Amino acid sequence: MAYNPIILSITTFIFGLAGAMYIFSWVFHREGAGRWATGVTLFAAVGNLIGILMRWYESYQLGSGYGHAPLSNIYESLVFFAFTISVIYLVVERRYQNRIIGAFAIPLAFFALAYASFGTSSKISPLIPALKSNWLIAHVMTCFVGYAAFALAFGVSIMYLLKRGNDESAATGVIGRLPAAAFLDELTHQLIMFGFLFLTAGIITGAVWANSAWGRYWGWDPKETWSLITWFIYATLLHARLMRGWSGKRIAILSLVGFSAVMFTYFGVNLLPGLHSYGAMGQ
Amino acid sequence: MMNDKTKVTANYLDSLWKFFASVKLTVVVLLSLAVLSIIGTLIPQNQSPADYFKAFGPFLFQVLATLDIFDMYHSWWFQFLMILLVVNIIICSVERLRLTGKIIFTKTPKFNLNNYRQQKQRREFTVTGSAGSVVEAYRRYLSKSFRYCRVLEQGQGFAITAEKGRWTRIGVYGVHLSVVILLVGGLIGSLYGFEGFVNIPEGQSIDTIQLRNTGLEYRLPFSIRCDDFDVQFYASGAPKEFRSKLTILEDGKAGIQKEIIVNDPLRYKGINIFQSSYGKTNLDPHMAGAPEDIELSFRSTVSGMIYNRKAVLGQPVQIPEGMGKLVVERYEPDGQFRGMSIGPALLGTLTPAEGSPVPIVLAMNFPKFDMMRKGDVVISVDQSTAAPKTAYYTGLQITNDPGVWVVYVGFAMMIVGCMVTFFMSHQQLMVEIQPKGTRTAVLVAGKANKNKIGFQHKVNRLSEKLSMNDGRLS
Ligand code: HEM
């Protein structure tokens, strides 16, 4: 009997509650609810971490060959993704003392974990030989920290577009309470730099892993190529900021495009012809 | 004096230079790379022409083939974009170093004090104590966290200029250079390296492999022999581990040996040999290796009892009831007995408790074969051993890439460069101290080239600290 999927599905609901509280606090301007939401998010993040550690422990209980760090399949990576989103969000909240961002960030952690819990299999399966590598752990961790930062940048860019889409001076109420556009723009940039560093590290650790498993660091397979496409998009964004006439709005749109590429790298690549099939290479 | 013609050429060159130095070009090239890369993920690459022909029909096939779409990441136009990127990076870096090199590589940084005095976010407060004592206390405090710290006299008072992190401005050049290094490393690999594969049945050796891109044969400077291959499965049927025992043969002599598994290759003379796949060969029994677990049964003709024992080649097995010991010495895929072919057989020696050793022939396909010897014990090979053993071939990926270390240097440089560029900044601070009546007026202002909001927070905290205890900082 494995307990980790139970802990993690309960955590899903806690994230859902926290997200709802952040949204409530923002829409109805109740700061008290926002403070509670922070506590609930912290609680969910701890639950998420316990779920991950529990899964790690339980994999070793299943017998020889099963034990591994829980970063090897879509369920495990989504769980880690949700955890990272919540941690990065909490750091941002603490640093900038703003809880409205939570209304755009925590729902993403909720969706990630909900999809993991209810859309994918939580069965622990043993690792096939190609996945037995410490580079794999480094690769998945760095990629998902990067993806989580991009997810938050996505949320903040939506806030930016809401804020700028309305005439800023006239905007009051729900839109008016959003942080200043300049702040949101700067925060997007910070998050994207952070994400870009980790995506770069993720692509590099993936390349080093491929080189240690198959003797080639780059093979243009669709998954690799899509992570590079994502990287090109965010590199474009970092440079577009330097160009005159590229206002925050276009940058925010590029951030949405970049995050769609992240999602496609993650989920969409499996729909493409010619799958990334480890172990079957070389035939 | 320039004549008109050289002027036109100079202008022309100048605008060409500007074009290649522009960030606009960067954005266009990076976006084009992103969008065009998608094509190769929609159309599987490097399949056989026949498959493409079938999928696209003659006309579209011709068009796509002309555009190199079937191997697009090596096409002239994709490589052209990468060259454009490299040229853009180099010219842009040269241009910026020309303009900002003086800022980066200077011993005495310039501070335009009036800029700081007029800054919108500047902090101002007054403290007691003379300007002279305050400036000394501040200088000591600031020099703890700023490497460069100078006091300038300004009329009746002083200005402290301080800065750190000037070198971090180089970080972005490191990132850009790393892109060039990566591409150079990739080029070295594609010019001087190779990537191929080979399948070796157990017990055999090869010295030619098939190259992956061209399908041509390639001769290695040595031979590889697969001594043994072994695969283990999980209960689910998925492979758990597969390993090959390989020997390198040079000039017919056996050299180094290694058991390789996925993720742990054999590297020899710059050539990497990776375990990548395996398969079953439908071999004739000649090719099959010796059985790994030999299950023997011993039937005593005296008591009628049957004993099952495991045997290993070359090691003695004690036979119960004190009937001596048996050593299985050899496996013969095509055994002969008195000129008759008996199929796969084990050959050994039985040493009875008393008497001299006798040779033993165990025909694996004929369990009663040993009865013919009419000894005290009838030995037969269990059917689980005798069952035809599956013979495997090991699938090896064989590569050589002299550019890989260049690429790794590029990787390291890119990570370090990004960390420096993103999270460190060149920070400058100006603190002006002027006597004001009986008190001393202080102005604090700073600027950073990155993360301006974060640095302003830092300046605010710093000025709070400086205003505490009336400037005595204790
Ligand atoms: C794949 C290629 C490239 C990568 C990965 C790359 C990466 C970067 C990164 C990470 C930054 C820092 C951005 C920031 O601080 O927000 C940057 C800045 C910059 N890049 Fe690139 N870059 C590339 C190509 C180019 C090219 C071709 C040019 C040529 C014009 C260029 C010009 C610049 C400039 C002018 C800056 C601003 C430097 C500064 O803030 O002082 N980059 N680049």
Side-chain angles (χ1 to χ4, degrees), chain A residues 7 23 25 28 50 64 91 95 125 127 149 171 193 196 202 207 218 229 236 279 281:
Chain A
I7 296 174
I23 294 172
S25 151
F28 298 100
I50 291 175
S64 121
V91 171
R95 194 195 263 183
S125 31
L127 294 184
M193 287 196 300
F196 190 78
W218 194 261
I229 291 169
T236 307
M281 302 197 52

Side-chain angles (χ1 to χ4, degrees), chain A residues 73-121:
Chain A
N73 61 17
I74 192 152
Y75 176 82
E76 292 172 351
S77 57
L78 279 168
V79 167
F80 182 72
F81 185 42
F83 174 68
T84 328
I85 291 176
S86 65
V87 170
I88 298 178
Y89 168 70
L90 285 169
V91 171
V92 168
E93 183 190 296
R94 210 183 139 75
R95 194 195 263 183
Y96 298 102
Q97 294 297 320
N98 189 301
R99 293 200 165 84
I100 297 175
I101 303 163
F104 292 82
I106 296 306
L108 300 175
F110 165 72
F111 290 134
L113 208 51
Y115 182 62
S117 296
F118 307 111
T120 68
S121 161

Side-chain angles (χ1 to χ4, degrees), chain A residues 244-261:
Chain A
R244 249 167 302 162
W246 273 69
S247 64
K249 207 159 177 169
R250 291 194 203 173
I251 297 293
I253 289 171
L254 265 181
S255 156
L256 305 192
V257 173
F259 190 62
S260 331

Side-chain angles (χ1 to χ4, degrees), chain A residues 64-65 126-127 129-130 132 186 190 193 197 200 211-215 217 220 225-226 236 239 243 272-273 279 283, chain B residues 23-24 30 41-42 73 186 234 239-240 242 262-263 274 276-277 397 399 401 404 407-408 414-415 422-423 451 453:
Chain A
S64 121
L127 294 184
K132 292 178 187 164
E186 176 67 22
Q190 293 283 332
M193 287 196 300
L197 172 69
T200 305
N211 193 40
S212 75
W214 304 294
Y217 52 84
W220 292 109
T225 307
W226 268 95
T236 307
H239 291 87
M243 268 177 12
L272 291 171
Q283 306 204 346
Chain B
V23 179
K24 207 185 241 165
L30 287 174
T41 67
L42 298 176
Y73 301 110
Y234 292 115
K240 177 175 178 180
F242 36 110
V262 180
N263 278 316
F274 291 86
S276 81
S277 64
Q397 162 103 349
T399 67
D401 186 348
V404 78
V407 170
Y408 278 20
M414 182 173 278
I415 296 272
F422 292 153
F423 304 119
N451 188 12
I453 295 181

